[in-house]
Amino acid sequence: QVQLVESGGGLVQAGGSLRLSCAASGRTFSSYGMGWFRQAPGKEREFVAAISWIGVDTYYADSVKGRFAISRDNAKNTLYLQMNSLKPEDTAVYYCAADERYYGGKPYEYDYWGQGTQVTVSA
């Protein structure tokens, strides 16, 4: 199993930047494909970005492409999401997720989830 803890959320003005981190503990971090998802109040959880086991392949939702960047440091057991040019519609709770066999945009494919970190973007 793997345990995931997100951090780095907060309040930022539109156009600003934040960097989210997801610290993993338990099994070898490089054994897991990783993803970021977000959920706004009253909305379903939606895919943001995903990254393969050693970080060669990345995949983004159209809504964040060109503004967000997913990366991982397997030596530090940490996943990152650099968020630039933030918009009020990016406001949500952001979750990281892990799975041994999958990385991509389908939340139901992930076995492990963190508790989430709040990102609020003011206009």
Side-chain angles (χ1 to χ4, degrees), residues 3-104:
Q3 292 77 44
L4 305 171
V5 178
E6 301 94 337
S7 62
L11 174 64
V12 64
Q13 288 188 332
S17 298
L18 281 175
R19 188 194 197 197
L20 304 184
S21 298
C22 172
S25 60
R27 289 195 60 190
T28 306
F29 182 57
S30 59
S31 298
Y32 296 92
M34 301 295 296
W36 285 101
F37 292 80
R38 65 187 182 187
Q39 188 166 18
K43 295 187 177 182
E44 292 187 354
R45 191 167 297 191
E46 68 170 351
F47 169 70
V48 175
I51 190 167
S52 60
W53 294 263
I54 58 172
V56 173
D57 295 320
T58 57
Y59 177 44
Y60 295 92
D62 288 343
S63 59
V64 306
K65 204 171 292 184
R67 300 188 298 123
F68 291 11
I70 188 171
S71 62
R72 66 190 297 164
D73 186 336
N74 287 344
K76 294 183 178 180
N77 296 334
T78 304
L79 175 74
Y80 302 99
L81 185 68
Q82 178 66 44
M83 305 187 295
N84 300 325
S85 302
L86 282 160
K87 304 175 181 180
E89 51 263 44
D90 294 319
T91 295
V93 177
Y94 283 70
Y95 299 89
C96 64
D99 193 85
E100 292 180 279
R101 295 170 303 278
Y102 176 83
Y103 74 98

